[in-house]
Amino acid sequence: MAITRKDIEHIAHLARLEVSDAEVPAYADKLDKIIGFIDTLEQAETAGLQPMAHPLQMSQRLREDAVTATDQRDHYQQNAAETTDGLYIVPRVVE
Amino acid sequence: MQWEVVIGLEIHAQLATQSKIFSGASTAYGAAPNTQADLVTLGYPGVLPVLNQDVVVMAAKFGLAVDATVAPRSVFARKNYFYPDLPKGYQISQYELPIVEHGHIDLTLDDGSVKRVGITRAHLEEDAGKSLHENLDGKTGIDLNRAGTPLLEIVSEPDIRSAKEAVNYMRRIHQIVRYLGISDGNMQEGSFRCDANVSVRPRGQEEFGTRTEIKNLNSFRFVEKAINFEIERQIEVLEDGGKIVQETRLYDSDRDETRSMRGKEEANDYRYFPDPDLLPVEISPEFLAAVKSAMPELPQAKADRLIEQYGLKAAEVEVLTASRAMADYFEAVAASADAQLAANWVCGELSGALNKDNVDITDSRVDAAALAQLIQRISDNTISGKIAKEVFAAMWAGEGGADEIIAAKGLKQITDSGAIEAVVDQVIADNPDQVQQFRDGKDKVLGFFVGKVMQATQGKANPGQVNQMLRDKLKS
């Protein structure tokens, strides 16, 4: 399967990555190779196997339902670009 | 053309845990912005989610309650999209292997028939934060307290055929999650909300029409109105020769209409994949058996039992089983008072007072023991049913218990037949015209005499005795 310019632009948009026109052929080439590896993987016989959800052969550990976190808002918000009245401020997201 | 409506609902029930689904931050409602947003909630690099065991128990309870399969193995997946109220850039949800699948509930329709609605699946996921746009200088403010709150998304089959059925279904799910104690179901606070997928097709047609999705309906009334508006809109578009566009719409309750959410709908491309930070959730038969043994009695089973055990009517039982708290209250009253009277009082005066003052049964100003005492006083003829209403009003107003109020206000019924007879004789002597009318066959006049006697005794005469005595005396 050949990765097209359109595919690269679409994937870059979904990931919110800026990819210049000049970079597109290089990415298309690399992704093509990755897809090629997957084509090889697909030749493996997998009928009757349960799809693997995680490389570790373990099940999820559960924690007790208890509040253990304390309010450290002021501390965390020192890393924010902008805050007002405890809110994180971002550019307007609705018209 | 005859149109058939096809509806499927996705209900989001917020699970009633203390802490978030993947971290130890509090889920309490109404806290100051971001005071319950810890590092996991904020999506800091390097943090790891650790699953809350109670959400697994709660999802399993729901699965058992709707006769579903509780998956022995379910998997969390990342749903990728960018929005500021989702700091990680993905929502942890379940996709291919949800925790609950293939359930159903049976609805009783208006004509008494039973309709089964399938539940395709119910999966666990985390809620997003909240965006605020008011008074922020043209910017957006983000509050992440709600982010990471556990949700159970309950997806129905497209089995629903009208807005009314949709509300019926939603009420049943609401009742079940509250009985199970897995969600407080508070719709004002957004703990229970729903998206509706609506389409129409010519009656008899096999394939579905193009559907639209109405987002974030947070009251039963809005669900009904939004769906009805959308049905009308779609039929009108189709009858004008137009086509339905598959899109997300928002319901505007002020204008009672649905509106397209985005001008240019970008096809969703969430690129789900198993979350490498979380291992598969395994539920053993022993775990499931333990959950099952701790299940409370469910609404339908409770209704059947109340009818059987107390000989009540279906309509009464429907009111009494509306919530677990209501049913518990009734049974506490019925434990020490006549069950039929208990049902009448809980469905009547008590429900009326609760509604009027907008008080929940759990905060009732007259508790079950107090109501039972009042009913005992009716049963043992201390007071009449009519006087009991007066006593109840005083109890509701906080004037004390039934016995206290009866004594303080001198409301004890007069059962001394000599005393009643004196009043009856006086009333008959005072109203010769009405006596004649009665003797001429105008039976209704009896009511007039009863009224007079009651008036003279301030309602304290035993009504049964008064009736009997009047009849005897007027006939002779």
Side-chain angles (χ1 to χ4, degrees), chain B residues 156-367:
Chain B
S156 86
E157 290 286 314
D159 290 343
I160 299 164
R161 291 289 172 271
S162 71
K164 227 173 158 190
E165 269 180 40
V167 173
N168 188 337
Y169 167 83
M170 195 174 169
R171 281 190 190 281
R172 283 300 311 280
I173 298 286
H174 189 249
Q175 189 187 33
I176 287 169
V177 298
R178 292 191 55 203
Y179 261 71
L180 293 171
I182 64 172
S183 174
D184 66 16
N186 188 324
M187 297 173 90
Q188 264 134 35
E189 292 176 5
S191 305
F192 193 86
R193 51 193 199 262
C194 144
D195 303 338
N197 287 298
V198 180
S199 66
V200 298
R201 64 182 170 190
R203 192 168 291 283
Q205 180 181 305
E206 190 77 17
E207 74 219 78
F208 293 139
T210 305
R211 68 187 156 85
T212 60
E213 183 179 17
I214 316 168
K215 281 271 186 204
N216 264 332
L217 298 163
N218 63 354
S219 85
F220 296 119
R221 201 164 56 91
F222 290 168
V223 167
E224 181 159 4
K225 292 181 106 173
I227 291 174
N228 276 331
F229 174 87
E230 187 56 20
I231 292 167
E232 291 297 313
R233 188 191 70 84
Q234 290 190 10
I235 290 173
E236 204 172 299
V237 168
L238 293 170
E239 289 190 339
D240 287 350
K243 274 204 162 90
I244 302 301
V245 182
Q246 185 168 341
E247 62 182 354
T248 305
R249 299 178 71 87
L250 264 189
Y251 177 65
D252 180 339
S253 55
D254 292 334
R255 297 194 199 171
D256 187 23
E257 63 177 27
T258 66
R259 274 202 309 272
S260 184
M261 231 165 102
R262 283 168 214 127
K264 195 181 100 207
E265 175 91 352
E266 208 173 274
N268 291 330
D269 192 343
Y270 293 127
R271 297 147 291 143
Y272 283 96
F273 64 91
D275 190 330
D277 287 344
L278 288 153
L279 290 152
V281 178
E282 285 180 2
I283 293 181
S284 67
E286 295 76 33
F287 180 94
L288 200 57
V291 171
K292 197 167 195 170
S293 68
M295 290 277 281
E297 187 178 34
L298 290 168
Q300 194 55 56
K302 198 181 278 285
D304 294 345
R305 181 174 61 78
L306 292 189
I307 290 172
E308 169 80 24
Q309 185 175 338
Y310 300 103
L312 302 176
K313 291 186 275 295
E316 294 166 335
V317 165
E318 198 180 311
V319 176
L320 296 175
T321 57
S323 73
R324 206 164 123 192
M326 189 80 154
D328 288 349
Y329 185 104
F330 161 73
E331 291 210 88
V333 178
S336 53
D338 178 77
Q340 185 59 58
L341 280 176
N344 297 349
W345 277 81
V346 173
C347 297
E349 294 296 302
L350 181 79
S351 290
L354 292 171
N355 285 340
K356 190 166 149 275
D357 290 354
N358 200 15
V359 176
D360 192 80
I361 184 97
T362 50
D363 301 322
S364 174
R365 290 179 199 150
V366 173
D367 67 21

